[in-house]
mmCIF file of all heavy atoms in Angstrom:
data_model
loop_
_atom_site.group_PDB
_atom_site.id
_atom_site.type_symbol
_atom_site.label_atom_id
_atom_site.label_comp_id
_atom_site.label_asym_id
_atom_site.label_seq_id
_atom_site.Cartn_x
_atom_site.Cartn_y
_atom_site.Cartn_z
ATOM 1 N N SER A 236 130.597 -137.352 117.853
ATOM 2 C CA SER A 236 130.510 -138.084 116.593
ATOM 3 C C SER A 236 130.432 -139.577 116.893
ATOM 4 O O SER A 236 130.843 -140.033 117.963
ATOM 5 C CB SER A 236 131.710 -137.794 115.695
ATOM 6 O OG SER A 236 132.887 -138.308 116.267
ATOM 7 N N GLU A 237 129.876 -140.279 115.952
ATOM 8 C CA GLU A 237 129.791 -141.726 116.058
ATOM 9 C C GLU A 237 130.103 -142.294 114.682
ATOM 10 O O GLU A 237 129.213 -142.521 113.868
ATOM 11 C CB GLU A 237 128.410 -142.151 116.550
ATOM 12 C CG GLU A 237 128.389 -143.559 117.047
ATOM 13 C CD GLU A 237 127.197 -143.849 117.932
ATOM 14 O OE1 GLU A 237 126.576 -142.913 118.445
ATOM 15 O OE2 GLU A 237 126.896 -145.032 118.089
ATOM 16 N N HIS A 240 128.445 -145.024 112.281
ATOM 17 C CA HIS A 240 127.230 -144.753 111.518
ATOM 18 C C HIS A 240 127.454 -143.740 110.396
ATOM 19 O O HIS A 240 126.497 -143.293 109.760
ATOM 20 C CB HIS A 240 126.127 -144.225 112.430
ATOM 21 C CG HIS A 240 125.785 -145.146 113.557
ATOM 22 N ND1 HIS A 240 125.281 -146.413 113.356
ATOM 23 C CD2 HIS A 240 125.891 -144.979 114.896
ATOM 24 C CE1 HIS A 240 125.089 -146.992 114.538
ATOM 25 N NE2 HIS A 240 125.449 -146.148 115.475
ATOM 26 N N SER A 250 136.375 -136.981 95.750
ATOM 27 C CA SER A 250 137.429 -136.515 96.635
ATOM 28 C C SER A 250 138.651 -136.229 95.774
ATOM 29 O O SER A 250 138.646 -136.495 94.566
ATOM 30 C CB SER A 250 137.762 -137.586 97.680
ATOM 31 O OG SER A 250 138.409 -138.684 97.058
ATOM 32 N N MET A 252 141.192 -137.877 95.752
ATOM 33 C CA MET A 252 141.731 -139.170 95.326
ATOM 34 C C MET A 252 140.885 -139.818 94.227
ATOM 35 O O MET A 252 141.354 -140.705 93.538
ATOM 36 C CB MET A 252 141.794 -140.125 96.533
ATOM 37 C CG MET A 252 142.667 -139.627 97.656
ATOM 38 S SD MET A 252 144.414 -139.741 97.271
ATOM 39 C CE MET A 252 144.645 -141.493 97.290
ATOM 40 N N PRO A 256 134.932 -137.802 86.935
ATOM 41 C CA PRO A 256 135.031 -138.646 85.731
ATOM 42 C C PRO A 256 135.296 -140.119 86.051
ATOM 43 O O PRO A 256 134.699 -141.009 85.431
ATOM 44 C CB PRO A 256 136.198 -138.035 84.950
ATOM 45 C CG PRO A 256 136.234 -136.614 85.396
ATOM 46 C CD PRO A 256 135.831 -136.643 86.841
ATOM 47 N N ASP A 266 123.660 -145.472 90.271
ATOM 48 C CA ASP A 266 124.371 -145.650 91.540
ATOM 49 C C ASP A 266 125.561 -144.697 91.601
ATOM 50 O O ASP A 266 126.698 -145.115 91.717
ATOM 51 C CB ASP A 266 124.830 -147.103 91.684
ATOM 52 C CG ASP A 266 125.530 -147.354 93.015
ATOM 53 O OD1 ASP A 266 125.140 -146.716 94.008
ATOM 54 O OD2 ASP A 266 126.469 -148.158 93.041
ATOM 55 N N PRO A 271 124.578 -137.179 97.669
ATOM 56 C CA PRO A 271 124.494 -137.462 99.108
ATOM 57 C C PRO A 271 123.620 -138.689 99.353
ATOM 58 O O PRO A 271 122.641 -138.920 98.644
ATOM 59 C CB PRO A 271 123.835 -136.213 99.688
ATOM 60 C CG PRO A 271 124.013 -135.154 98.658
ATOM 61 C CD PRO A 271 124.066 -135.853 97.337
ATOM 62 N N MET A 273 121.418 -140.773 102.392
ATOM 63 C CA MET A 273 120.847 -140.704 103.724
ATOM 64 C C MET A 273 119.880 -141.856 103.921
ATOM 65 O O MET A 273 118.966 -142.053 103.127
ATOM 66 C CB MET A 273 120.102 -139.382 103.956
ATOM 67 C CG MET A 273 119.502 -139.308 105.342
ATOM 68 S SD MET A 273 118.745 -137.721 105.740
ATOM 69 C CE MET A 273 117.361 -137.692 104.626
ATOM 70 N N GLN A 284 117.200 -138.091 118.869
ATOM 71 C CA GLN A 284 117.819 -138.535 120.119
ATOM 72 C C GLN A 284 119.039 -137.679 120.445
ATOM 73 O O GLN A 284 119.194 -137.201 121.568
ATOM 74 C CB GLN A 284 118.227 -140.002 120.023
ATOM 75 C CG GLN A 284 118.934 -140.505 121.265
ATOM 76 C CD GLN A 284 119.428 -141.932 121.118
ATOM 77 O OE1 GLN A 284 119.055 -142.646 120.198
ATOM 78 N NE2 GLN A 284 120.292 -142.340 122.022
ATOM 79 N N VAL A 289 122.195 -133.326 123.346
ATOM 80 C CA VAL A 289 123.119 -132.180 123.395
ATOM 81 C C VAL A 289 122.445 -130.908 123.897
ATOM 82 O O VAL A 289 123.110 -130.060 124.498
ATOM 83 C CB VAL A 289 123.856 -131.922 122.055
ATOM 84 C CG1 VAL A 289 124.784 -133.062 121.725
ATOM 85 C CG2 VAL A 289 122.922 -131.594 120.931
ATOM 86 N N VAL A 301 115.048 -126.412 130.803
ATOM 87 C CA VAL A 301 114.382 -126.223 129.507
ATOM 88 C C VAL A 301 113.559 -124.941 129.523
ATOM 89 O O VAL A 301 113.517 -124.202 128.539
ATOM 90 C CB VAL A 301 113.502 -127.441 129.146
ATOM 91 C CG1 VAL A 301 112.650 -127.165 127.921
ATOM 92 C CG2 VAL A 301 114.367 -128.673 128.927
ATOM 93 N N ASP A 303 114.263 -122.233 130.689
ATOM 94 C CA ASP A 303 115.122 -121.055 130.530
ATOM 95 C C ASP A 303 115.431 -120.749 129.067
ATOM 96 O O ASP A 303 116.002 -119.701 128.764
ATOM 97 C CB ASP A 303 116.451 -121.249 131.275
ATOM 98 C CG ASP A 303 116.268 -121.320 132.777
ATOM 99 O OD1 ASP A 303 115.499 -120.489 133.318
ATOM 100 O OD2 ASP A 303 116.875 -122.206 133.407
ATOM 101 N N ALA A 312 118.065 -128.954 108.590
ATOM 102 C CA ALA A 312 118.182 -130.072 107.655
ATOM 103 C C ALA A 312 116.821 -130.681 107.343
ATOM 104 O O ALA A 312 116.594 -131.165 106.240
ATOM 105 C CB ALA A 312 119.100 -131.150 108.225
ATOM 106 N N LEU A 314 112.579 -130.190 108.604
ATOM 107 C CA LEU A 314 111.579 -129.516 109.423
ATOM 108 C C LEU A 314 110.958 -130.472 110.441
ATOM 109 O O LEU A 314 110.684 -130.090 111.577
ATOM 110 C CB LEU A 314 110.497 -128.883 108.547
ATOM 111 C CG LEU A 314 109.445 -128.057 109.274
ATOM 112 C CD1 LEU A 314 110.068 -126.905 110.052
ATOM 113 C CD2 LEU A 314 108.409 -127.533 108.279
ATOM 114 N N ARG A 315 110.759 -131.719 110.048
ATOM 115 C CA ARG A 315 110.158 -132.698 110.973
ATOM 116 C C ARG A 315 111.022 -132.908 112.216
ATOM 117 O O ARG A 315 110.507 -133.083 113.316
ATOM 118 C CB ARG A 315 109.906 -134.031 110.268
ATOM 119 C CG ARG A 315 108.722 -133.987 109.333
ATOM 120 C CD ARG A 315 108.383 -135.348 108.722
ATOM 121 N NE ARG A 315 108.584 -136.452 109.608
ATOM 122 C CZ ARG A 315 109.303 -137.558 109.317
ATOM 123 N NH1 ARG A 315 109.904 -137.681 108.154
ATOM 124 N NH2 ARG A 315 109.424 -138.533 110.187
ATOM 125 N N ILE A 320 111.585 -131.929 118.054
ATOM 126 C CA ILE A 320 112.321 -131.387 119.208
ATOM 127 C C ILE A 320 111.502 -130.285 119.880
ATOM 128 O O ILE A 320 111.426 -130.221 121.109
ATOM 129 C CB ILE A 320 113.709 -130.870 118.773
ATOM 130 C CG1 ILE A 320 114.569 -132.027 118.244
ATOM 131 C CG2 ILE A 320 114.406 -130.114 119.895
ATOM 132 C CD1 ILE A 320 114.802 -133.146 119.245
ATOM 133 N N LYS A 325 108.455 -128.847 124.556
ATOM 134 C CA LYS A 325 107.288 -127.989 124.807
ATOM 135 C C LYS A 325 107.611 -126.510 124.582
ATOM 136 O O LYS A 325 107.252 -125.644 125.379
ATOM 137 C CB LYS A 325 106.734 -128.223 126.211
ATOM 138 C CG LYS A 325 106.207 -129.630 126.416
ATOM 139 C CD LYS A 325 105.717 -129.849 127.827
ATOM 140 C CE LYS A 325 105.054 -131.181 128.025
ATOM 141 N NZ LYS A 325 105.852 -132.357 127.830
ATOM 142 N N ASP A 329 107.347 -119.231 118.678
ATOM 143 C CA ASP A 329 108.208 -118.058 118.806
ATOM 144 C C ASP A 329 109.571 -118.380 119.413
ATOM 145 O O ASP A 329 110.462 -117.547 119.417
ATOM 146 C CB ASP A 329 107.530 -116.985 119.667
ATOM 147 C CG ASP A 329 106.314 -116.384 118.988
ATOM 148 O OD1 ASP A 329 106.243 -116.448 117.748
ATOM 149 O OD2 ASP A 329 105.449 -115.856 119.702
ATOM 150 N N GLN A 330 109.732 -119.588 119.927
ATOM 151 C CA GLN A 330 110.991 -119.983 120.553
ATOM 152 C C GLN A 330 111.880 -120.832 119.637
ATOM 153 O O GLN A 330 113.026 -121.100 119.988
ATOM 154 C CB GLN A 330 110.719 -120.783 121.831
ATOM 155 C CG GLN A 330 110.136 -119.966 122.960
ATOM 156 C CD GLN A 330 109.823 -120.850 124.130
ATOM 157 O OE1 GLN A 330 108.827 -121.562 124.130
ATOM 158 N NE2 GLN A 330 110.695 -120.836 125.130
ATOM 159 N N GLN A 336 111.796 -123.871 105.128
ATOM 160 C CA GLN A 336 110.719 -123.730 104.144
ATOM 161 C C GLN A 336 111.072 -122.680 103.095
ATOM 162 O O GLN A 336 110.609 -122.734 101.971
ATOM 163 C CB GLN A 336 109.402 -123.329 104.812
ATOM 164 C CG GLN A 336 109.010 -124.111 106.028
ATOM 165 C CD GLN A 336 109.506 -123.500 107.326
ATOM 166 O OE1 GLN A 336 110.662 -123.149 107.473
ATOM 167 N NE2 GLN A 336 108.614 -123.409 108.302
ATOM 168 N N ASN A 340 117.790 -126.814 102.812
ATOM 169 C CA ASN A 340 118.917 -127.152 103.667
ATOM 170 C C ASN A 340 120.163 -126.488 103.094
ATOM 171 O O ASN A 340 120.679 -126.906 102.069
ATOM 172 C CB ASN A 340 119.088 -128.672 103.734
ATOM 173 C CG ASN A 340 120.245 -129.097 104.614
ATOM 174 O OD1 ASN A 340 121.039 -128.285 105.068
ATOM 175 N ND2 ASN A 340 120.342 -130.390 104.846
ATOM 176 N N THR A 341 120.635 -125.455 103.745
ATOM 177 C CA THR A 341 121.822 -124.734 103.278
ATOM 178 C C THR A 341 123.095 -125.275 103.942
ATOM 179 O O THR A 341 124.076 -124.553 104.094
ATOM 180 C CB THR A 341 121.685 -123.222 103.534
ATOM 181 O OG1 THR A 341 121.472 -123.001 104.923
ATOM 182 C CG2 THR A 341 120.547 -122.634 102.733
ATOM 183 N N ASN A 343 126.053 -126.203 106.121
ATOM 184 C CA ASN A 343 126.675 -125.587 107.293
ATOM 185 C C ASN A 343 126.306 -124.116 107.475
ATOM 186 O O ASN A 343 126.706 -123.512 108.466
ATOM 187 C CB ASN A 343 128.200 -125.747 107.257
ATOM 188 C CG ASN A 343 128.826 -125.054 106.070
ATOM 189 O OD1 ASN A 343 128.143 -124.635 105.137
ATOM 190 N ND2 ASN A 343 130.135 -124.936 106.093
ATOM 191 N N THR A 345 123.101 -123.088 107.785
ATOM 192 C CA THR A 345 121.724 -122.963 108.269
ATOM 193 C C THR A 345 121.603 -122.171 109.560
ATOM 194 O O THR A 345 120.735 -121.312 109.683
ATOM 195 C CB THR A 345 121.048 -124.342 108.463
ATOM 196 O OG1 THR A 345 121.709 -125.073 109.479
ATOM 197 C CG2 THR A 345 121.013 -125.130 107.177
ATOM 198 N N LEU A 350 120.234 -117.054 112.402
ATOM 199 C CA LEU A 350 120.587 -115.943 113.309
ATOM 200 C C LEU A 350 120.456 -114.605 112.610
ATOM 201 O O LEU A 350 119.913 -113.650 113.162
ATOM 202 C CB LEU A 350 122.019 -116.111 113.827
ATOM 203 C CG LEU A 350 122.202 -116.943 115.068
ATOM 204 C CD1 LEU A 350 123.683 -117.181 115.340
ATOM 205 C CD2 LEU A 350 121.533 -116.311 116.264
ATOM 206 N N TRP A 374 127.310 -134.272 115.843
ATOM 207 C CA TRP A 374 126.283 -133.433 116.435
ATOM 208 C C TRP A 374 126.872 -132.625 117.594
ATOM 209 O O TRP A 374 127.904 -132.972 118.150
ATOM 210 C CB TRP A 374 125.085 -134.259 116.903
ATOM 211 C CG TRP A 374 125.372 -135.247 117.995
ATOM 212 C CD1 TRP A 374 125.212 -135.047 119.334
ATOM 213 C CD2 TRP A 374 125.871 -136.574 117.851
ATOM 214 N NE1 TRP A 374 125.581 -136.174 120.038
ATOM 215 C CE2 TRP A 374 125.987 -137.135 119.144
ATOM 216 C CE3 TRP A 374 126.242 -137.361 116.759
ATOM 217 C CZ2 TRP A 374 126.449 -138.425 119.369
ATOM 218 C CZ3 TRP A 374 126.705 -138.648 116.976
ATOM 219 C CH2 TRP A 374 126.799 -139.164 118.271
ATOM 220 N N SER A 376 125.946 -128.825 120.322
ATOM 221 C CA SER A 376 125.120 -127.663 120.630
ATOM 222 C C SER A 376 125.983 -126.605 121.299
ATOM 223 O O SER A 376 127.071 -126.896 121.811
ATOM 224 C CB SER A 376 123.944 -128.030 121.538
ATOM 225 O OG SER A 376 124.390 -128.330 122.846
ATOM 226 N N LEU A 379 124.383 -119.822 124.261
ATOM 227 C CA LEU A 379 124.911 -118.469 124.325
ATOM 228 C C LEU A 379 123.863 -117.523 124.879
ATOM 229 O O LEU A 379 122.668 -117.760 124.773
ATOM 230 C CB LEU A 379 125.425 -117.987 122.957
ATOM 231 C CG LEU A 379 124.466 -117.928 121.770
ATOM 232 C CD1 LEU A 379 123.864 -116.543 121.659
ATOM 233 C CD2 LEU A 379 125.235 -118.267 120.515
#
Side-chain angles (χ1 to χ4, degrees):
S236 67
E237 197 161 341
H240 303 298
S250 70
M252 300 287 290
D266 182 34
M273 180 175 67
Q284 177 184 347
V289 294
V301 171
D303 294 316
L314 184 59
R315 285 185 36 232
I320 296 301
K325 296 178 174 63
D329 292 337
Q330 291 176 283
Q336 313 91 311
N340 180 351
T341 58
N343 63 348
T345 64
L350 273 172
W374 63 95
S376 71
L379 59 94

